[in-house]
Amino acid sequence: MTTYDPDNIFAKILRGDIPCHKVYEDDAALVFMDVMPQSPGHTLVVPKAPSRNLLDADPAVLAKMVPLVQKIAIAAKAAFNADGITLWQFNEPAGGQTVFHLHYHVIPRYEGQPLRAHAGKMEDAEVLKANAAKLKAALG
Ligand code: 5GP
């Protein structure tokens, strides 16, 4: 299937049908912790407008996302004392995508530390909660 599925997991989170560790919300986007972080503080920036990925997204929505991704990246680098940030955005299964609602990964990185597996191990809820609070505080 290459159409948008309104029952994908992020659509359910956006509707409030499934909980998340929320960091930030505005009219255009919801930002929350990845439940299977590849590095401590791994965060997802998710536009509210439905699109499967970058390939079918409205350019007007995309234009709003990068400034927000930048804001989250700057705050995450500070909040998690990271040496750098990896930004990822996957499109279609062959491109590594596993959840089919457009999103950006903001991943704190540390010198010499490889990433954990993509969508690998579920993090403890208390850790996710604490990390969401740290990032929220850094956003001010
Ligand atoms: P993709 O492969 O589509 O770029 O990444 C999907 C991401 O969503 C993965 O990093 C995975 O860990 C994360 N993820 C999958 N299910 C859930 C969920 O129910 N809640 C949250 N917060 N993240 C999820």
Side-chain angles (χ1 to χ4, degrees):
M1 187 168 81
T2 52
T3 53
Y4 181 77
D5 171 12
D7 284 327
N8 74 77
I9 200 103
F10 291 171
K12 289 180 179 172
I13 289 174
L14 288 169
R15 286 199 294 269
D17 294 348
I18 288 180
C20 69
H21 292 92
K22 184 161 100 175
V23 172
Y24 172 88
E25 182 169 12
D26 63 21
D27 289 350
L30 183 65
V31 178
F32 53 88
M33 306 314 292
D34 195 300
V35 281
M36 291 171 267
Q38 291 185 249
S39 176
H42 183 165
T43 303
L44 300 170
V45 176
V46 183
K48 290 183 174 176
S51 83
R52 192 173 152 86
N53 52 42
L54 183 85
L55 305 174
D56 62 334
D58 178 348
V61 171
L62 297 178
K64 288 186 186 164
M65 289 305 114
V66 171
L68 176 57
V69 165
Q70 181 193 35
K71 188 169 153 173
I72 300 299
I74 291 168
K77 188 169 181 293
F80 303 109
N81 294 314
D83 299 316
I85 296 286
T86 291
L87 172 65
W88 266 344
Q89 193 283 308
F90 298 146
N91 302 282
E92 299 301 326
Q97 187 176 12
T98 58
V99 176
F100 298 95
H101 179 112
L102 175 63
H103 56 279
Y104 300 82
H105 298 257
V106 176
I107 310 178
R109 300 300 303 271
Y110 302 89
E111 290 297 345
Q113 277 190 33
L115 289 178
R116 300 196 284 258
H118 183 58
K121 187 176 162 286
M122 192 77 84
E123 184 56 276
D124 189 84
E126 284 307 310
V127 172
L128 295 172
K129 188 177 160 191
N131 284 345
K134 265 192 209 170
L135 187 47
K136 248 189 256 179
L139 281 166

